[in-house]
Each structure stands twice: as C-alpha cells, then as structure tokens.
Coordinates of all heavy atoms in Angstrom, one line a residue:
M1 N 9.3 101.9 9.6 CA 9.6 101.8 11.0 C 8.3 101.4 11.8 O 8.4 100.5 12.7 CB 10.1 103.2 11.5 CG 10.4 103.3 12.9 SD 12.0 102.5 13.2 CE 12.6 103.3 14.6
R2 N 7.2 102.0 11.5 CA 6.0 101.6 12.2 C 5.6 100.2 12.0 O 5.2 99.5 12.9 CB 4.9 102.5 11.7 CG 3.5 102.2 12.2 CD 3.1 103.5 13.0 NE 1.8 103.3 13.5 CZ 1.5 103.4 14.8 NH1 2.4 103.6 15.6 NH2 0.2 103.3 15.2
N3 N 5.9 99.7 10.8 CA 5.6 98.3 10.4 C 6.5 97.3 11.2 O 6.1 96.3 11.6 CB 5.8 98.1 8.9 CG 5.2 96.9 8.4 OD1 4.4 96.3 9.0 ND2 5.6 96.5 7.2
N4 N 7.8 97.7 11.4 CA 8.7 96.9 12.2 C 8.2 96.8 13.7 O 8.3 95.8 14.3 CB 10.1 97.5 12.2 CG 10.8 97.3 10.8 OD1 10.3 96.4 10.1 ND2 11.8 98.1 10.5
I5 N 7.7 97.9 14.2 CA 7.2 98.0 15.6 C 6.0 97.1 15.7 O 5.9 96.3 16.7 CB 6.9 99.4 16.0 CG1 8.2 100.2 16.1 CG2 6.2 99.4 17.4 CD1 8.0 101.7 16.4
E6 N 5.1 97.1 14.8 CA 3.9 96.3 14.8 C 4.3 94.8 14.7 O 3.7 94.0 15.4 CB 2.9 96.7 13.7 CG 2.2 98.0 14.0 CD 1.3 98.4 12.8 OE1 1.2 97.6 11.8 OE2 0.7 99.5 12.9
T7 N 5.2 94.5 13.8 CA 5.7 93.1 13.7 C 6.3 92.6 15.0 O 6.1 91.5 15.4 CB 6.7 93.0 12.5 OG1 6.1 93.5 11.3 CG2 7.1 91.6 12.3
F8 N 7.1 93.5 15.6 CA 7.8 93.2 16.9 C 6.7 92.9 17.9 O 6.8 92.0 18.7 CB 8.8 94.3 17.3 CG 9.4 94.0 18.6 CD1 10.4 93.1 18.7 CD2 9.0 94.8 19.7 CE1 11.0 92.9 20.0 CE2 9.6 94.5 20.9 CZ 10.6 93.6 21.1
E9 N 5.7 93.8 18.0 CA 4.7 93.6 19.0 C 3.9 92.3 18.8 O 3.5 91.6 19.7 CB 3.7 94.8 19.0 CG 4.3 96.1 19.6 CD 3.3 97.2 19.5 OE1 2.2 97.1 18.9 OE2 3.6 98.3 20.0
E10 N 3.6 92.0 17.5 CA 2.9 90.8 17.2 C 3.8 89.5 17.6 O 3.2 88.6 18.2 CB 2.6 90.7 15.7 CG 1.6 91.6 15.3 CD 1.4 91.7 13.7 OE1 2.1 90.9 13.0 OE2 0.6 92.5 13.3
E11 N 5.0 89.6 17.4 CA 5.9 88.5 17.8 C 6.0 88.4 19.3 O 6.0 87.3 19.9 CB 7.3 88.7 17.2 CG 7.4 88.4 15.7 CD 8.8 88.6 15.1 OE1 9.7 88.7 15.9 OE2 8.8 88.7 13.9
L12 N 6.1 89.5 19.9 CA 6.2 89.6 21.4 C 4.9 89.0 22.0 O 4.9 88.2 22.9 CB 6.4 91.0 21.9 CG 6.8 91.2 23.3 CD1 8.0 90.3 23.7 CD2 7.0 92.6 23.6
N13 N 3.7 89.4 21.5 CA 2.4 88.9 21.9 C 2.3 87.4 21.7 O 1.8 86.7 22.5 CB 1.3 89.7 21.3 CG 1.1 91.1 21.8 OD1 1.5 91.3 23.0 ND2 0.5 92.0 21.0
S14 N 2.8 87.0 20.6 CA 2.8 85.5 20.3 C 3.7 84.8 21.3 O 3.2 83.7 21.9 CB 3.4 85.3 18.9 OG 3.5 83.9 18.6
I15 N 4.8 85.3 21.7 CA 5.7 84.6 22.7 C 5.0 84.7 24.0 O 5.0 83.7 24.8 CB 7.1 85.4 22.7 CG1 7.8 85.1 21.4 CG2 7.9 84.9 23.9 CD1 9.1 85.9 21.3
I16 N 4.4 85.8 24.4 CA 3.7 85.9 25.7 C 2.5 84.9 25.7 O 2.3 84.2 26.8 CB 3.2 87.4 25.9 CG1 4.4 88.3 26.1 CG2 2.2 87.4 27.1 CD1 4.0 89.7 26.2
S17 N 1.8 84.8 24.6 CA 0.7 83.8 24.6 C 1.2 82.4 24.8 O 0.6 81.6 25.5 CB 0.0 84.0 23.3 OG -1.0 83.0 23.1
I18 N 2.3 82.0 24.1 CA 2.9 80.7 24.3 C 3.3 80.5 25.7 O 3.0 79.4 26.3 CB 4.1 80.5 23.3 CG1 3.6 80.4 21.9 CG2 4.9 79.3 23.7 CD1 4.7 80.5 20.8
C19 N 4.0 81.5 26.3 CA 4.4 81.4 27.7 C 3.2 81.2 28.7 O 3.3 80.4 29.6 CB 5.2 82.6 28.1 SG 6.9 82.6 27.3
D20 N 2.2 82.0 28.4 CA 1.0 81.9 29.3 C 0.4 80.5 29.2 O 0.0 79.9 30.2 CB -0.1 82.9 28.8 CG 0.2 84.3 29.3 OD1 1.1 84.5 30.2 OD2 -0.4 85.3 28.8
E21 N 0.3 79.9 28.0 CA -0.2 78.6 27.8 C 0.6 77.5 28.6 O 0.1 76.7 29.3 CB -0.3 78.2 26.4 CG -1.4 78.9 25.6 CD -2.8 78.7 26.2 OE1 -3.1 77.5 26.5 OE2 -3.6 79.6 26.4
K22 N 2.0 77.7 28.5 CA 2.9 76.8 29.2 C 2.7 76.9 30.7 O 2.7 75.9 31.4 CB 4.3 77.0 28.8 CG 4.6 76.5 27.4 CD 6.1 76.5 27.1 CE 6.3 76.0 25.7 NZ 6.6 74.6 25.6
I23 N 2.6 78.2 31.2 CA 2.4 78.4 32.6 C 1.1 77.7 33.1 O 1.1 77.1 34.1 CB 2.4 79.9 32.9 CG1 3.8 80.5 32.8 CG2 1.9 80.2 34.3 CD1 3.9 82.0 32.8
K24 N 0.0 77.9 32.3 CA -1.3 77.3 32.7 C -1.1 75.7 32.7 O -1.6 75.1 33.6 CB -2.4 77.6 31.7 CG -2.8 79.1 31.8 CD -3.9 79.4 30.8 CE -4.2 80.9 30.8 NZ -5.1 81.2 29.7
R25 N -0.4 75.2 31.7 CA -0.2 73.7 31.7 C 0.6 73.3 32.9 O 0.3 72.3 33.5 CB 0.5 73.3 30.4 CG 0.4 71.9 30.1 CD 0.9 71.5 28.7 NE 2.1 70.6 28.9 CZ 3.3 70.9 28.5 NH1 3.5 71.9 27.7 NH2 4.3 70.0 28.7
Y26 N 1.7 74.0 33.2 CA 2.5 73.6 34.3 C 1.8 73.8 35.7 O 2.0 73.0 36.6 CB 3.9 74.4 34.3 CG 4.8 73.9 33.2 CD1 5.4 74.9 32.4 CD2 5.0 72.6 32.9 CE1 6.3 74.5 31.4 CE2 5.8 72.2 31.9 CZ 6.5 73.1 31.1 OH 7.3 72.7 30.1
R27 N 1.0 74.8 35.8 CA 0.2 74.9 37.0 C -0.8 73.7 37.2 O -1.0 73.2 38.3 CB -0.6 76.2 37.0 CG 0.2 77.4 37.3 CD -0.6 78.7 37.5 NE 0.3 79.8 37.8 CZ 0.0 81.0 37.5 NH1 -1.1 81.3 36.9 NH2 0.8 82.0 37.8
A28 N -1.4 73.3 36.1 CA -2.3 72.2 36.1 C -1.5 70.9 36.5 O -2.0 70.1 37.3 CB -3.0 72.0 34.8
L29 N -0.3 70.8 35.9 CA 0.5 69.6 36.3 C 0.9 69.7 37.8 O 0.9 68.6 38.4 CB 1.8 69.5 35.4 CG 1.5 69.1 34.0 CD1 2.8 69.3 33.1 CD2 1.0 67.7 33.9
L30 N 1.2 70.9 38.2 CA 1.6 71.0 39.6 C 0.5 70.7 40.6 O 0.6 70.0 41.6 CB 2.1 72.5 39.9 CG 2.6 72.8 41.3 CD1 3.8 71.9 41.7 CD2 3.0 74.2 41.4
E31 N -0.8 71.1 40.2 CA -1.9 70.8 41.0 C -2.1 69.2 41.0 O -2.4 68.7 42.1 CB -3.2 71.5 40.4 CG -3.2 72.9 40.7 CD -4.4 73.6 40.1 OE1 -5.3 73.0 39.5 OE2 -4.4 74.9 40.1
D32 N -2.0 68.6 39.9 CA -2.1 67.1 39.8 C -1.0 66.5 40.7 O -1.3 65.5 41.4 CB -1.9 66.6 38.4 CG -3.1 67.0 37.5 OD1 -4.2 67.3 38.1 OD2 -3.0 66.9 36.3
Y33 N 0.2 67.0 40.6 CA 1.3 66.5 41.4 C 0.9 66.6 42.9 O 1.1 65.7 43.7 CB 2.6 67.2 41.1 CG 3.7 67.0 42.1 CD1 4.4 65.8 42.1 CD2 4.0 67.9 43.1 CE1 5.4 65.5 43.1 CE2 5.0 67.7 44.0 CZ 5.6 66.5 44.0 OH 6.6 66.3 45.0
Q34 N 0.4 67.8 43.3 CA 0.1 68.0 44.7 C -1.0 67.0 45.2 O -0.9 66.5 46.3 CB -0.3 69.4 45.0 CG 0.7 70.5 44.8 CD 1.8 70.4 45.8 OE1 1.7 69.8 46.9 NE2 3.0 71.0 45.5
M35 N -2.0 66.8 44.3 CA -3.0 65.9 44.7 C -2.5 64.4 44.8 O -2.8 63.7 45.8 CB -4.1 65.9 43.6 CG -5.3 65.0 43.9 SD -6.6 65.2 42.7 CE -5.9 64.3 41.3
I36 N -1.6 64.0 43.9 CA -1.0 62.7 44.0 C -0.1 62.6 45.2 O -0.2 61.6 45.9 CB -0.2 62.4 42.7 CG1 -1.2 62.2 41.5 CG2 0.6 61.1 42.8 CD1 -0.6 62.2 40.1
K37 N 0.6 63.6 45.4 CA 1.5 63.6 46.6 C 0.7 63.5 47.9 O 1.1 62.7 48.8 CB 2.4 64.9 46.6 CG 3.3 65.0 47.8 CD 4.0 66.4 47.7 CE 4.8 66.6 49.0 NZ 5.3 68.0 49.0
G38 N -0.4 64.2 48.0 CA -1.2 64.2 49.1 C -1.8 62.8 49.3 O -1.8 62.2 50.5
S39 N -2.2 62.1 48.2 CA -2.8 60.8 48.3 C -1.7 59.8 48.8 O -1.9 58.9 49.6 CB -3.3 60.3 47.0 OG -4.4 61.2 46.6
A40 N -0.5 60.0 48.2 CA 0.6 59.1 48.6 C 1.0 59.2 50.1 O 1.2 58.2 50.8 CB 1.8 59.3 47.7
L41 N 1.0 60.5 50.5 CA 1.3 60.7 51.9 C 0.3 60.1 52.8 O 0.5 59.6 53.9 CB 1.5 62.2 52.2 CG 2.8 62.8 51.6 CD1 2.8 64.3 51.9 CD2 4.0 62.2 52.2
S42 N -1.0 60.2 52.4 CA -2.1 59.7 53.2 C -1.9 58.1 53.3 O -2.1 57.6 54.3 CB -3.4 60.0 52.5 OG -4.5 59.4 53.2
L43 N -1.6 57.5 52.1 CA -1.4 56.1 52.1 C -0.2 55.7 53.0 O -0.3 54.7 53.7 CB -1.2 55.5 50.7 CG -2.4 55.5 49.8 CD1 -2.0 55.1 48.4 CD2 -3.4 54.4 50.4
L44 N 0.8 56.4 52.9 CA 2.0 56.2 53.8 C 1.7 56.3 55.2 O 2.0 55.4 56.1 CB 3.1 57.1 53.4 CG 4.4 56.9 54.2 CD1 5.0 55.6 53.9 CD2 5.4 58.0 53.8
N45 N 0.9 57.3 55.6 CA 0.5 57.5 57.0 C -0.4 56.3 57.4 O -0.2 55.8 58.5 CB -0.2 58.8 57.1 CG -0.5 59.1 58.6 OD1 0.3 58.7 59.5 ND2 -1.6 59.8 58.8
M46 N -1.3 55.9 56.6 CA -2.2 54.8 56.9 C -1.4 53.5 57.1 O -1.6 52.7 58.0 CB -3.2 54.6 55.7 CG -4.3 53.6 56.1 SD -5.5 53.2 54.8 CE -5.4 54.6 53.7
N47 N -0.3 53.4 56.2 CA 0.5 52.2 56.3 C 1.3 52.2 57.6 O 1.4 51.2 58.3 CB 1.5 52.2 55.1 CG 2.4 50.9 55.1 OD1 1.9 49.9 55.5 ND2 3.6 51.1 54.6
N48 N 1.8 53.4 58.1 CA 2.5 53.5 59.3 C 1.6 53.2 60.5 O 1.9 52.5 61.5 CB 3.1 54.9 59.5 CG 4.3 55.1 58.6 OD1 4.9 54.1 58.2 ND2 4.7 56.3 58.3
N49 N 0.3 53.7 60.4 CA -0.7 53.4 61.5 C -0.9 51.9 61.5 O -1.0 51.3 62.6 CB -2.0 54.2 61.3 CG -1.8 55.6 61.5 OD1 -0.9 56.1 62.2 ND2 -2.7 56.4 61.0
T50 N -1.1 51.3 60.4 CA -1.3 49.8 60.3 C -0.1 49.1 60.9 O -0.3 48.1 61.7 CB -1.5 49.4 58.9 OG1 -2.6 50.1 58.3 CG2 -1.9 47.9 58.8
K51 N 1.1 49.5 60.6 CA 2.3 48.8 61.2 C 2.3 48.9 62.7 O 2.5 48.0 63.4 CB 3.5 49.5 60.6 CG 3.9 49.1 59.2 CD 5.2 49.8 58.8 CE 5.5 49.5 57.3 NZ 6.7 50.3 56.9
R52 N 1.9 50.1 63.2 CA 1.9 50.3 64.7 C 0.8 49.4 65.3 O 1.1 48.8 66.3 CB 1.6 51.7 65.0 CG 2.8 52.6 65.0 CD 2.5 54.0 65.5 NE 3.0 55.0 64.6 CZ 2.4 55.8 63.8 NH1 1.1 55.8 63.9 NH2 3.0 56.6 63.0
K53 N -0.3 49.3 64.6 CA -1.4 48.4 65.2 C -1.0 46.9 65.1 O -1.2 46.2 66.0 CB -2.7 48.6 64.4 CG -3.3 49.9 64.6 CD -4.5 50.2 63.8 CE -5.1 51.5 64.0 NZ -6.2 51.8 63.1
V54 N -0.3 46.5 64.0 CA 0.2 45.2 63.9 C 1.2 44.9 65.0 O 1.2 43.8 65.6 CB 0.7 44.9 62.5 CG1 1.4 43.5 62.4 CG2 -0.5 44.9 61.5
V55 N 2.1 45.8 65.2 CA 3.2 45.6 66.2 C 2.5 45.5 67.6 O 2.9 44.6 68.4 CB 4.2 46.7 66.1 CG1 5.1 46.7 67.3 CG2 5.1 46.6 64.9
S56 N 1.5 46.3 67.8 CA 0.9 46.3 69.1 C 0.1 44.9 69.3 O 0.1 44.3 70.4 CB -0.2 47.4 69.2 OG 0.5 48.6 69.2
L57 N -0.5 44.5 68.2 CA -1.2 43.2 68.3 C -0.2 42.0 68.5 O -0.5 41.2 69.3 CB -2.0 43.0 66.9 CG -2.7 41.7 66.8 CD1 -3.8 41.5 67.9 CD2 -3.3 41.5 65.4
I58 N 0.9 42.1 67.8 CA 1.9 41.0 68.0 C 2.4 41.1 69.5 O 2.6 40.0 70.1 CB 3.1 41.2 67.1 CG1 2.6 40.9 65.6 CG2 4.3 40.4 67.5 CD1 3.7 41.2 64.6
D59 N 2.7 42.2 70.0 CA 3.1 42.3 71.4 C 2.0 41.8 72.4 O 2.3 41.0 73.3 CB 3.4 43.8 71.8 CG 4.7 44.3 71.2 OD1 5.5 43.5 70.7 OD2 4.9 45.5 71.1
A60 N 0.8 42.1 72.1 CA -0.3 41.6 73.0 C -0.4 40.0 72.8 O -0.6 39.4 73.9 CB -1.6 42.2 72.5
L61 N -0.2 39.5 71.6 CA -0.3 38.1 71.5 C 0.9 37.4 72.2 O 0.7 36.3 72.8 CB -0.3 37.7 70.0 CG -1.6 38.0 69.2 CD1 -1.4 37.8 67.7 CD2 -2.7 37.2 69.7
K62 N 2.1 38.0 72.2 CA 3.2 37.5 72.9 C 3.0 37.4 74.4 O 3.3 36.4 75.0 CB 4.5 38.3 72.6 CG 5.1 38.0 71.2 CD 6.4 38.9 71.0 CE 7.0 38.7 69.7 NZ 8.1 39.6 69.5
Q63 N 2.4 38.5 74.9 CA 2.1 38.5 76.3 C 1.1 37.4 76.7 O 1.2 36.8 77.7 CB 1.5 39.9 76.7 CG 2.5 41.0 76.7 CD 1.9 42.4 77.0 OE1 0.7 42.5 77.2 NE2 2.8 43.4 77.0
L64 N 0.1 37.3 75.8 CA -0.9 36.2 76.0 C -0.2 34.8 76.0 O -0.5 34.0 76.8 CB -2.0 36.3 75.0 CG -3.1 35.3 75.1 CD1 -3.8 35.4 76.4 CD2 -4.1 35.5 73.9
K65 N 0.7 34.6 75.1 CA 1.4 33.4 75.0 C 2.2 33.1 76.2 O 2.1 32.0 76.8 CB 2.3 33.4 73.7 CG 3.1 32.1 73.5 CD 4.0 32.2 72.3 CE 5.2 33.0 72.6 NZ 6.2 32.9 71.5
Y66 N 2.9 34.1 76.7 CA 3.7 33.9 77.9 C 2.8 33.6 79.1 O 3.1 32.8 80.0 CB 4.6 35.1 78.2 CG 5.7 35.2 77.1 CD1 5.9 36.4 76.5 CD2 6.4 34.1 76.7 CE1 6.9 36.5 75.5 CE2 7.4 34.2 75.7 CZ 7.6 35.4 75.1 OH 8.6 35.5 74.1
R67 N 1.6 34.3 79.2 CA 0.7 34.0 80.3 C 0.2 32.6 80.2 O 0.0 31.9 81.3 CB -0.4 35.0 80.3 CG 0.0 36.4 80.7 CD -1.1 37.4 80.7 NE -0.7 38.7 81.0 CZ -1.3 39.8 80.6 NH1 -2.5 39.7 79.9 NH2 -0.8 41.0 80.9
L68 N -0.1 32.2 79.0 CA -0.6 30.8 78.8 C 0.5 29.8 79.2 O 0.2 28.8 79.9 CB -1.1 30.5 77.4 CG -2.4 31.2 77.0 CD1 -2.6 31.0 75.5 CD2 -3.5 30.6 77.8
Y69 N 1.7 30.0 78.8 CA 2.8 29.1 79.2 C 2.9 29.1 80.8 O 3.1 28.1 81.4 CB 4.1 29.6 78.6 CG 4.3 29.2 77.2 CD1 5.0 30.1 76.3 CD2 3.8 28.0 76.7 CE1 5.1 29.7 75.0 CE2 4.0 27.7 75.3 CZ 4.6 28.5 74.5 OH 4.8 28.2 73.2
A70 N 2.8 30.3 81.4 CA 2.9 30.4 82.9 C 1.8 29.6 83.5 O 2.0 28.9 84.5 CB 2.9 31.8 83.3
L71 N 0.6 29.7 83.0 CA -0.5 29.0 83.5 C -0.3 27.5 83.3 O -0.6 26.7 84.3 CB -1.8 29.4 82.8 CG -3.1 28.8 83.2 CD1 -3.4 29.1 84.7 CD2 -4.3 29.2 82.4
M72 N 0.1 27.1 82.2 CA 0.4 25.6 81.9 C 1.5 25.1 82.9 O 1.3 24.0 83.4 CB 0.8 25.4 80.5 CG -0.3 25.6 79.5 SD 0.1 25.6 77.7 CE 1.2 24.2 77.6
E73 N 2.5 25.9 83.1 CA 3.6 25.5 84.0 C 3.0 25.4 85.5 O 3.4 24.4 86.2 CB 4.7 26.5 84.0 CG 5.5 26.5 82.7 CD 6.3 25.2 82.6 OE1 6.8 24.6 83.6 OE2 6.4 24.7 81.5
S74 N 2.2 26.3 85.9 CA 1.6 26.2 87.2 C 0.7 25.0 87.4 O 0.7 24.4 88.4 CB 0.9 27.5 87.6 OG -0.3 27.7 86.8
E75 N -0.1 24.7 86.3 CA -0.9 23.5 86.4 C -0.1 22.2 86.4 O -0.4 21.3 87.1 CB -1.9 23.5 85.2 CG -3.0 24.5 85.3 CD -4.0 24.3 84.1 OE1 -3.9 23.4 83.4 OE2 -4.9 25.2 84.1
N76 N 1.0 22.2 85.6 CA 1.9 21.1 85.6 C 2.5 20.9 87.0 O 2.7 19.8 87.5 CB 3.0 21.2 84.6 CG 2.4 20.9 83.2 OD1 1.4 20.3 83.0 ND2 3.2 21.4 82.2
A77 N 2.9 22.0 87.6 CA 3.5 21.9 89.0 C 2.5 21.4 90.0 O 2.9 20.7 90.9 CB 4.0 23.3 89.4
E78 N 1.2 21.8 89.9 CA 0.2 21.3 90.8 C -0.1 19.8 90.6 O -0.3 19.1 91.6 CB -1.1 22.1 90.6 CG -1.1 23.5 91.1 CD -2.4 24.2 90.8 OE1 -3.4 23.6 90.4 OE2 -2.4 25.5 90.9
H79 N 0.0 19.4 89.4 CA -0.3 17.9 89.1 C 0.9 17.1 89.6 O 0.7 15.9 90.0 CB -0.5 17.7 87.7 CG -1.9 18.2 87.2 ND1 -3.0 17.7 87.7 CD2 -2.2 19.1 86.3 CE1 -4.0 18.4 87.1 NE2 -3.5 19.2 86.2
E80 N 2.1 17.6 89.6 CA 3.3 16.9 90.1 C 3.3 16.8 91.6 O 3.9 15.9 92.1 CB 4.5 17.6 89.5 CG 4.7 17.4 88.0 CD 5.9 18.1 87.5 OE1 6.7 18.7 88.3 OE2 6.1 18.1 86.3
D81 N 2.7 17.7 92.3 CA 2.7 17.7 93.7 C 1.8 16.7 94.3 O 1.2 15.9 94.4 CB 2.3 19.1 94.3 CG 3.4 20.1 94.1 OD1 4.5 19.7 93.9 OD2 3.0 21.3 94.1

C-alpha cells in the first residue's frame, strides 16, 4: 500500500512538473505576444497619425491651388480691362 502511495505521488509530481513547465512556456509566449501586439498597435497609431498629416497636407495644398487660381483669374481680369 505504501509503495502504491509513493508511486502515485511520484506520478502526480511528474504531472505537476510538466504542467508547471507548460505554464512557464505559455507565459513566455503570452509576454512575447503582448510585446508584438504593443508594437503593432504603435505602428498602427503612427500610420493613423501619418494619414491625418497627409490629409491635412492635401487640404492645405488644395487651398493653395484654389488661391493661386483666384489670383490668376484676378490678374487675367485686370489685363482684360
């Protein structure tokens, strides 16, 4: 009976050891995932900021274009008079 209990404890300790190793491995994988996720979110945020800046630049260039057209039109009107 005592031998069976010791064998059971050894098997149980072996299972616990395997589970502990798997938990450590999965925690390390989870930490890697969190780091990669953080980097990806940072890149996405940077991409969104870049998009906003590009859109703002395009809007500013359009306004400049319309002002130049208005200036050219006013100069053409002066020359026609």
Side-chain angles (χ1 to χ4, degrees):
M1 180 76 153
R2 179 117 175 121
N3 197 15
N4 286 341
I5 293 174
E6 289 177 1
T7 303
F8 177 74
E9 285 179 356
E10 288 173 3
E11 288 179 15
L12 190 58
N13 285 335
S14 175
I15 291 170
I16 290 171
S17 176
I18 291 170
C19 290
D20 283 345
E21 288 301 315
K22 288 191 180 265
I23 288 170
K24 287 177 187 175
R25 193 173 119 236
Y26 288 133
R27 281 186 181 153
L29 288 173
L30 183 60
E31 287 175 10
D32 289 344
Y33 166 77
Q34 293 293 341
M35 185 177 70
I36 291 169
K37 179 182 170 189
S39 297
L41 289 175
S42 175
L43 284 173
L44 181 61
N45 188 31
M46 188 181 342
N47 186 34
N48 285 339
N49 288 339
T50 303
K51 283 180 186 175
R52 277 188 227 113
K53 289 177 184 174
V54 168
V55 168
S56 296
L57 179 60
I58 289 171
D59 288 343
L61 289 172
K62 283 181 182 177
Q63 288 176 359
L64 182 59
K65 179 178 81 171
Y66 294 131
R67 287 180 188 158
L68 287 172
Y69 283 145
L71 181 61
M72 288 170 46
E73 288 294 321
S74 67
E75 284 184 10
N76 285 340
E78 286 179 12
H79 289 298
E80 290 177 4
D81 288 340

